[in-house]
Amino acid sequence: MNFAFTDFYAFLRGPGFVISVLVFAAGFIYRSAVMIRATRKIRKQSFNLENYKWNGHVQTKGPLFHRIIFIFKNKIRNTIFGTNPVIGIISLIFHILLFITPVFLSAHNIIADLTIGLSLPALPEQLTDIFTILLLSMGGFFLSRRIFIPRVRIISTSRDYMILLFVMAPFFSGFLAYHQFFNYRAVIFTHMVIGEIAIMIIPFTSLAHMPFILFSRFYIDSEHNITAGRRTW
């Protein structure tokens, strides 16, 4: 029994993790190629800082910095930060924690060091524990919005619920494993399996918006761009 546990744990820690990263990388490259093929390069930029218009208003005077601020503020109006700042801030914090919590987790970096000899700086365990609780709380908040707010519920599908729960599952199981609730072996196996599956499905589900934010906000021209895009659909 101990041998089976050690053997399976070693597989998940080593080859299993490598496989999940390779699947993610292959999927990311494939989806990037598809996205690029679905767009074309903009031959001439229409963006003109000297005569920038927004809803009929023209901003041509004042220092360059003030004009850039004017443009940026009007860009923000098209995003969630303009239409619903509270949800926008919560969403921003949620996505930041979603990235930094697992990447800079002490336990993950110890395993990375033992497996491949490389690791990143680790945040204090108490801090990542707080981050996990905050992240789970915000995940519960987003789930509640989909359930109880009609305008959000009506556009939500079963896939949206499953994706949100699947994103939360590695953090919830990791929290249980760290505090050694329930059967540790069962919990740590569940945590590692779900986490590696989550890595693999990112490019093939709506989770792809995380790595593709550079395309949607900086590279492909749209009303939601932060900067002038270089390609258009």
Side-chain angles (χ1 to χ4, degrees):
M1 186 67 179
N2 289 333
F3 175 78
F5 171 80
T6 303
D7 193 50
F8 189 42
Y9 178 80
F11 171 78
L12 292 174
R13 193 184 74 176
F17 177 72
V18 173
I19 291 171
S20 66
V21 172
L22 290 177
V23 172
F24 167 81
F28 180 77
I29 293 172
Y30 169 74
R31 291 292 300 273
S32 298
V34 170
M35 186 174 293
I36 291 174
R37 288 183 62 184
T39 63
R40 58 181 173 81
K41 187 175 181 180
I42 298 176
R43 294 183 179 180
K44 184 178 180 180
Q45 297 288 345
S46 59
F47 181 84
N48 185 355
L49 191 61
E50 294 299 323
N51 190 29
Y52 185 81
K53 293 184 179 181
W54 181 263
N55 291 338
H57 300 288
V58 181
Q59 177 77 4
T60 60
K61 298 180 180 180
L64 177 63
F65 176 76
H66 291 170
R67 282 178 280 163
I68 292 175
I69 294 298
F70 173 82
I71 294 170
F72 183 75
K73 287 173 63 177
N74 285 298
K75 287 284 187 180
I76 290 296
R77 292 181 185 177
N78 279 328
T79 69
I80 187 66
F81 295 99
T83 59
N84 196 330
V86 174
I87 298 298
I89 293 172
I90 294 175
S91 180
L92 176 63
I93 296 174
F94 176 81
H95 284 82
I96 291 174
L97 294 181
L98 199 66
F99 173 76
I100 67 173
T101 303
V103 171
F104 298 103
L105 187 69
S106 176
H108 289 174
N109 280 281
I110 290 174
I111 293 175
D113 186 48
L114 293 174
T115 304
I116 60 176
L118 296 174
S119 63
L120 296 173
L123 295 172
E125 294 183 353
Q126 294 83 357
L127 183 59
T128 52
D129 205 33
I130 294 173
F131 284 171
T132 301
I133 295 173
L134 287 174
L135 194 146
L136 291 174
S137 299
M138 286 185 283
F141 169 74
F142 289 130
L143 180 61
S144 298
R145 287 187 74 246
R146 291 192 179 276
I147 296 174
F148 297 111
I149 298 181
R151 70 175 185 275
V152 182
R153 183 174 63 246
I154 199 171
I155 61 173
S156 299
T157 65
S158 57
R159 179 177 295 182
D160 294 321
Y161 291 101
M162 291 299 297
I163 289 295
L164 181 56
L165 293 174
F166 206 85
V167 168
M168 294 295 98
F171 295 91
F172 181 66
S173 58
F175 181 81
L176 296 179
Y178 173 73
H179 292 280
Q180 298 190 12
F181 292 130
F182 307 111
N183 184 289
Y184 178 76
R185 293 185 178 184
V187 172
I188 196 65
F189 280 161
T190 302
H191 172 67
M192 297 176 76
V193 170
I194 294 178
E196 291 176 6
I197 292 176
I199 293 173
M200 288 189 285
I201 69 172
I202 286 175
F204 310 102
T205 65
S206 58
L207 295 175
H209 73 274
M210 293 187 292
F212 286 117
I213 191 172
L214 293 177
F215 285 93
S216 62
R217 291 294 182 267
F218 296 94
Y219 195 59
I220 298 177
D221 186 52
S222 74
E223 67 272 20
H224 300 296
N225 269 30
I226 295 176
T227 62
R230 296 184 179 181
R231 301 184 69 88
T232 186
W233 295 106

